[in-house]
Amino acid sequence: MKTTLNTHDIANALLNDKHAAWSYNGAKALAEYLEQYEEDCGVELELDVVALRCEYSEWDNLEDWGHSYFTDNQFKSLFKDLEEDDLDEEIAQYIEEQGILIEFEGGAIVSSF
């Protein structure tokens, strides 16, 4: 027996996870990503909010993610002398080479890697 969920149902399940801190826009973006993944790969996923909480994290911006992921010295050596727009592009490229980046209005979701 199974229940098919839509974007709204998935986003609500993510938002109801009291151990996560998803924003509405972040939860919706992750839900849309998962639905697109199912469609593209032809696989049916089982919603596991704990696994998603462990696999993905939400950030207000990519620079905050970068400062959290790298030491100060690593961050400076990788991204020195970049303007803010170029910095975001470089960080996004780094993330996409290593894992999954889901950008949305007001933030980004990054997979663990």
Side-chain angles (χ1 to χ4, degrees), residues 3-108:
T3 301
T4 301
L5 304 174
N6 61 31
T7 304
H8 180 75
D9 296 330
I10 299 165
N12 278 338
L14 293 168
L15 291 169
N16 287 328
D17 178 1
K18 64 183 178 181
H19 299 290
W22 304 111
S23 68
Y24 175 77
N25 287 342
K28 183 178 176 201
L30 183 54
E32 289 171 345
Y33 168 80
L34 295 170
E35 288 178 313
Q36 189 63 52
Y37 179 86
E38 279 187 323
E39 187 176 311
D40 292 347
C41 296
V43 297
E44 195 171 276
L45 300 175
E46 183 175 327
L47 181 62
D48 182 343
V49 295
V50 175
L52 292 171
R53 175 183 356 118
C54 294
E55 179 66 22
Y56 297 93
S57 57
E58 182 174 344
W59 297 89
D60 291 334
N61 59 65
L62 295 178
E63 190 172 348
D64 285 350
W65 175 88
H67 284 292
S68 175
Y69 186 78
F70 298 106
T71 65
D72 286 340
N73 288 337
Q74 289 172 321
F75 188 86
K76 288 176 187 174
S77 71
L78 286 169
F79 305 115
K80 65 181 174 189
D81 301 326
L82 293 174
E83 299 291 324
E84 188 170 336
D85 289 343
D86 293 335
L87 178 62
D88 284 346
E89 285 181 33
E90 287 294 317
I91 294 171
Q93 182 179 357
Y94 179 87
I95 293 168
E96 289 170 339
E97 289 172 357
Q98 307 298 319
I100 297 168
L101 172 63
I102 305 166
E103 294 185 89
F104 61 90
E105 182 80 30

